[in-house]
Each structure stands twice: as C-alpha cells, then as structure tokens.
Amino acid sequence: LVDSELLSAKATAKALTEYGIPMDQETSLKLFTWITLDKALVFIEEEYGVLLAADYLQRKAELTALEFKEFLKPVPGIIDLLDGLSVPFCLASNSEHKRLKITLEYAKLAPYFVGQVHSADDVPLGKPAPDLFLYAAKRNNISPDKCLVIDDSPTGIKAASAAGMAAIGFVGGTHVGPGLSEKLLAHGAEWIMHSHMEVQQLINSV
C-alpha cells in the first residue's frame, strides 16, 4: 500500500541510537523489516543485551510519525487499483494498530479501509503464522480458498500459503532488494508482480 519500510527503518535506527544501540537505516531495514514489534524487542534483548525502557516504544512511534507525516507516499498505482476493485478487500498487517492508523491517515488511504484494518494485535501469532489472514477472512465471511493475498514479504507469503490462500508476491516497493522475487516464490507466491497495474490486470482476468 505504502512505501513505509525505509521510513520505518530510519525511525527505528534513530530511536535505537538514542537508547544506546548505534544503528544505521540499512541495518535496521535488514534486521526488523517484516517482523512483529514483539519479536524485534526480543531480538534486541538477545542480540544486544539491552532491555529497552517502556518509553522507547513511545519515542519510536514519535519518530515514525514524523517520518511518515513528511515523506510517506502510497505505492504508485494503488489508488487506481483500490478504486477499480469490485470485490471485498481488507488490510492485514503485522504492524500494530497505532502505526496502521497513522500510516493510512498520512497516505490518505484511510477511507478505503474503514472497518477493514486487521493487525497482528488481533491474533495470537502474526505472520508467518496463518492466524492473521484466517482472522481477516473469517471477519469477512470468506473462505480462505477464495482469498487472494498481495504481500511483499517472505513472512507474508509464507502465512498466505499456510492459510491456504493464493498469493501475489509484490516487488514494486522502494525497499525491494536483490533476490526478493526468488524468496517470495520459494515461500509459495504463485505470481510475481512489479506494479499494481499488473495486479489489476490479473484480478480483472479471473
């Protein structure tokens, strides 16, 4: 939906540096992209021996909001795709609800997902477990085998496969690195799409 990963990685790197763990954006992107906040905190404690203070989360949220407010943009083509969809759709993300709220607001996408924002906060296990996608499908009274997942992460594609859902591996974001297409295919993606125009063409052809 949005090119948020680079901005989030920058905010995380800044916050960790302030709390005594010097880090740059590239390292932050590599370590924390696509994992839940809880898993990130566990990793930091195990890898760096630092149990972050409770106010770290507030500081990280503040820095993320500042980055999003100034720089966050929708992925090119997503608004045209959403406007053209004739089937129900929703958002299912490992991000916490607070971050999803500001993400959608700053990218001006909130009106598209009223009542249809699902977070790892809502289930026992986030991606790569299937819980989140199964929860979203159940909330919409749709069988998993009738769902199509669009995800840009190996964890998301793995979750879709575990949930019995067809999946598009999306590689149109600015954070995409070498070899991502191969990783997405290896985790169960049935298609690799480089733009939302391609996604729209596939959906229209079904």
Side-chain angles (χ1 to χ4, degrees):
L1 292 178
V2 294
D3 265 327
S4 63
E5 299 300 344
L6 291 175
L7 300 178
S8 179
K10 184 179 178 181
T12 298
K14 285 183 177 180
L16 288 174
T17 299
E18 289 182 8
Y19 279 75
I21 304 174
M23 187 171 293
D24 58 26
Q25 181 182 18
E26 183 179 355
T27 302
S28 174
L29 184 70
K30 181 180 179 181
L31 293 177
F32 305 120
T33 300
W34 303 318
I35 69 173
T36 63
L37 180 58
D38 287 344
K39 287 185 177 180
L41 292 175
V42 170
F43 174 85
I44 291 166
E45 183 177 358
E46 293 178 347
E47 187 71 15
Y48 297 97
V50 176
L51 180 60
L52 290 167
D55 57 357
Y56 163 78
L57 296 179
Q58 179 62 35
R59 181 56 177 158
K60 179 181 179 297
E62 291 171 355
L63 291 170
T64 300
L66 289 172
E67 292 291 332
F68 281 14
K69 186 174 183 179
E70 186 168 359
F71 300 111
L72 187 66
K73 302 291 183 185
V75 172
I78 186 59
I79 292 178
D80 288 339
L81 173 63
L82 295 175
D83 283 338
L85 288 177
S86 58
V87 294
F89 58 89
C90 67
L91 171 61
S93 170
N94 263 358
S95 295
E96 62 273 18
H97 274 294
K98 288 181 180 179
R99 174 174 161 177
L100 291 173
K101 185 175 185 294
I102 65 168
T103 297
L104 294 173
E105 287 177 353
Y106 289 147
K108 297 181 173 57
L109 294 174
Y112 290 97
F113 294 98
V114 176
Q116 288 289 358
V117 179
H118 311 301
S119 161
D121 292 344
D122 301 321
V123 293
L125 296 172
K127 310 172 196 177
D131 302 33
L132 181 55
F133 287 144
L134 292 174
Y135 172 80
K138 185 176 182 180
R139 286 289 302 271
N140 284 279
N141 297 311
I142 297 175
S143 173
D145 64 351
K146 301 295 184 184
C147 295
L148 174 65
V149 170
I150 305 168
D151 208 297
D152 62 356
S153 71
T155 54
I157 297 300
K158 187 175 181 179
S161 180
M165 300 178 180
I168 292 172
F170 188 76
V171 294
T174 57
H175 65 284
V176 172
L180 180 59
S181 294
E182 290 75 13
K183 290 178 182 177
L184 298 178
L185 289 169
H187 282 80
E190 297 184 32
W191 305 272
I192 296 296
M193 301 283 170
H194 296 81
S195 71
H196 283 304
M197 182 179 294
E198 292 180 357
V199 174
Q200 190 168 29
Q201 290 171 348
L202 174 66
I203 293 174
N204 289 343
S205 70
V206 175

